[in-house]
Amino acid sequence: DALIWKNVAFESINYYYPFIYIMVFAKFTDAGCPSVGQYGQDCIWALRRSLMITVFILVGCFRVFEVFQLWAVARLKLKLEDWNADTEDGGPPPRAFMEEQAKYSKFEIQDQVETMLQLVLSLGYVVLFGAVAPVVVVIIWAVFVLQLRGSAWLLSHSCRRTFPEDKMGEGAWRRAVELILVLGVLSSALVLVIHGEAFKGTYLLTKITFTFIFVVAAFISWQVLAQEFPEKDRHTQLMLRKRDYVMRTVSKLGYTVSPPQGAEQDGEDLRRIRGGEFAE
């Protein structure tokens, strides 16, 4: 969990800070918002353009290059080994599966964290800046498809077979995503109060008050939706609790209550039926 949180905190600053600066702080600096062609100094259009370019190049193309690099390194090692064997002994000998696996790259805990981190950070672009640049949603969808398929292909063609073991890391990822969702609500409120037409020329206290009301209303809406549409069906949970109660009760009765009258005969009849004796 500590490794996950360190990676999320460090990479989030590297990934999101330039866009947060354009969205929140650039308007109040001496230089103002970046110029975007016919739109002049417009932070929203500058943010949209920067997001589309960065997400496409940094997230999408970088993952393609990473997958290709690991595949190329593994194939180069195998080719060099075949070439050395061919020059010395007249031909490469048959290669066993374990010997070929030794030439592949390792895929350990750090690599697993980085793979999942790419998906979480890509989701953060949608949550934090999707309201400003909706086209990012489509790009991130393509990134998710590429990441999932690319990771599966990478594990089966260019990485060593991992040892199956249980890891307790889902809780940290879940909390990281929940934190990004909270920051996404705050980001939407800041876009409205900083760049919205309705808040031009208003007092700072008015903007802070609206931001507070917006965030509180979002959290209340979450709780209402969670109660109306829970993650797990209420009837299913009730049936599971009933079953658990019955199982515990029967388990206790099995040690404290003697079998009812005729239970031995019923058991004997059942054994005869299972044995194929249907005469009586």
Side-chain angles (χ1 to χ4, degrees):
D1 289 356
L3 177 63
I4 292 174
W5 278 111
K6 290 177 182 177
N7 280 273
V8 169
F10 181 77
E11 295 294 341
S12 296
I13 295 174
N14 291 337
Y15 274 64
Y16 302 143
Y17 178 75
F19 307 107
I20 294 177
Y21 175 82
I22 296 175
M23 184 177 65
V24 179
F25 303 106
K27 186 176 180 179
F28 305 103
T29 59
D30 295 335
C33 298
S35 298
V36 185
Q38 60 180 342
Y39 300 102
Q41 289 187 328
D42 193 328
C43 291
I44 298 299
W45 280 103
L47 181 61
R48 290 175 181 172
R49 186 185 65 175
S50 301
L51 276 171
M52 289 186 292
I53 297 175
T54 303
V55 171
F56 179 76
I57 296 178
L58 181 63
V59 181
C61 297
F62 176 76
R63 187 55 183 171
V64 174
F65 174 76
E66 183 181 5
V67 172
F68 175 77
Q69 177 191 10
L70 293 176
W71 174 82
V73 169
R75 291 295 174 271
L76 179 61
K77 290 181 180 179
L78 295 175
K79 289 296 183 181
L80 288 176
E81 185 180 72
D82 292 341
W83 184 77
N84 292 329
D86 184 62
T87 55
E88 295 177 1
D89 303 329
R95 184 183 293 109
F97 174 77
M98 296 299 296
E99 187 179 0
E100 182 177 350
Q101 285 280 310
K103 304 300 185 294
Y104 290 169
S105 302
K106 295 182 179 180
F107 193 80
E108 298 179 341
I109 296 178
Q110 179 66 34
D111 303 295
Q112 298 174 21
V113 171
E114 290 180 358
T115 301
M116 186 65 182
L117 183 63
Q118 295 297 324
L119 295 176
V120 173
L121 294 177
S122 300
L123 179 64
Y125 281 110
V126 177
V127 175
L128 296 175
F129 312 109
V132 177
V135 70
V136 173
V137 178
V138 180
I139 300 176
I140 295 301
W141 172 80
V143 169
F144 265 69
V145 174
L146 177 66
Q147 178 80 352
L148 294 176
R149 272 55 177 188
S151 298
W153 188 88
L154 186 66
L155 289 174
S156 58
H157 289 80
S158 304
C159 291
R160 298 179 187 177
R161 178 173 293 181
T162 57
F163 184 79
E165 55 183 346
D166 295 331
K167 293 295 183 182
M168 302 298 293
E170 181 182 354
W173 289 118
R174 182 183 294 271
R175 291 191 294 271
V177 173
E178 291 175 352
L179 178 60
I180 292 177
L181 291 176
V182 173
L183 296 178
V185 174
L186 182 61
S187 173
S188 300
L190 291 177
V191 169
L192 289 175
V193 299
I194 294 176
H195 304 284
E197 294 290 337
F199 290 92
K200 285 187 176 181
T202 58
Y203 293 103
L204 178 62
L205 180 61
T206 305
K207 298 180 180 180
I208 295 176
T209 303
F210 177 81
T211 303
F212 177 77
I213 295 174
F214 185 93
V215 173
V216 171
F219 279 103
I220 294 175
S221 301
W222 283 355
Q223 295 301 321
V224 171
L225 292 175
Q227 293 297 325
E228 293 297 327
F229 306 99
E231 296 182 0
K232 298 180 180 180
D233 184 65
R234 299 173 183 174
H235 299 288
T236 304
Q237 296 299 312
L238 178 61
M239 293 298 296
L240 290 175
R241 289 196 297 269
K242 288 182 178 180
R243 180 181 181 276
D244 183 64
Y245 176 77
V246 171
M247 294 296 294
R248 286 187 285 106
T249 304
V250 171
S251 178
K252 293 178 181 178
L253 291 176
Y255 293 100
T256 59
V257 179
S258 59
Q261 184 178 3
E264 293 84 355
Q265 183 63 33
D266 294 340
E268 183 65 24
D269 294 341
L270 181 59
R271 282 191 293 271
R272 290 180 179 179
I273 293 173
R274 289 177 176 174
E277 300 179 9
F278 305 103
E280 298 181 4

